[in-house]
């Protein structure tokens, strides 16, 4: 996220993540063989999730609560971090307490130069990614 003008983006400014195993750069630390993370608030918003609005019509809607990987707020008075979540009606909610027992939706990030060579993203005709 560009914090200066608050423009969400799918593109990471880094060439690789901090955890890349085969890193020849100082950015990687060799921790993950298969880098998988959680959806971000930007990714949920791009898909159709909105803060304050129910939406059961977008592809990330499951009918269940689940965590996403974006932090929301930190209470310094009692050292509690609040995170974003999606609720049972598809609403993007920024008040997930760390004691809430929720599911997660993993995400696998692709290199920026990856291309969709086939498919339309449906179950019957999934995307095929090529480099």
């Amino acid at each position: 996220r560009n914090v200066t003008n608050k423009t969400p983006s799918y593109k990471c400014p880094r060439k690789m993540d901090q955890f890349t195993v085969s890193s020849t750069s100082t950015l990687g630390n060799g921790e993950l063989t298969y880098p998988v993370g959680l959806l971000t608030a930007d990714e949920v918003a791009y898909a159709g999730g909105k803060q304050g609005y129910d939406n059961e019509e977008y592809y990330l809607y499951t009918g269940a609560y689940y965590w996403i990987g974006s932090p929301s707020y930190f209470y310094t008075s009692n050292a509690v971090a609040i995170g974003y979540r999606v609720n049972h009606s598809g609403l993007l909610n920024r008040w997930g307490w760390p004691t809430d027992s929720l599911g997660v939706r993993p995400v696998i990030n692709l290199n920026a130069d990856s291309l969709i060579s086939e498919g339309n993203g449906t179950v019957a005709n999934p995307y095929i990614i090529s480099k």
Side-chain angles (χ1 to χ4, degrees), residues 47 54-64 66 86-91 105:
D54 295 339
N55 183 359
E56 298 179 2
E57 301 298 322
Y58 68 115
Y59 74 94
L60 294 175
Y61 171 73
T62 64
Y66 59 89
V86 174
N87 78 3
H88 68 286
S89 61
L91 177 142
R105 295 289 305 262

Side-chain angles (χ1 to χ4, degrees), residues 4-5 111 115:
T4 304
N5 62 15
N111 291 332
L115 301 172

Side-chain angles (χ1 to χ4, degrees), residues 26-38:
T26 57
L27 294 176
N29 67 9
E31 292 296 317
L32 299 177
T33 302
Y34 304 105
V36 176
L38 297 177

Side-chain angles (χ1 to χ4, degrees), residues 1 3 7 44 47 55 62 77 80 85 92 97 99 106 111-112 120:
R1 173 177 291 171
V3 294
T7 304
V44 172
N55 183 359
T62 64
S77 60
V80 174
R85 65 186 182 180
L92 180 58
W97 291 90
T99 54
N111 291 332
N120 63 10

Side-chain angles (χ1 to χ4, degrees), residues 116-130:
I116 298 171
S117 62
E118 294 180 45
N120 63 10
T122 63
V123 172
N125 189 15
Y127 293 126
I128 296 178
I129 308 298
S130 64

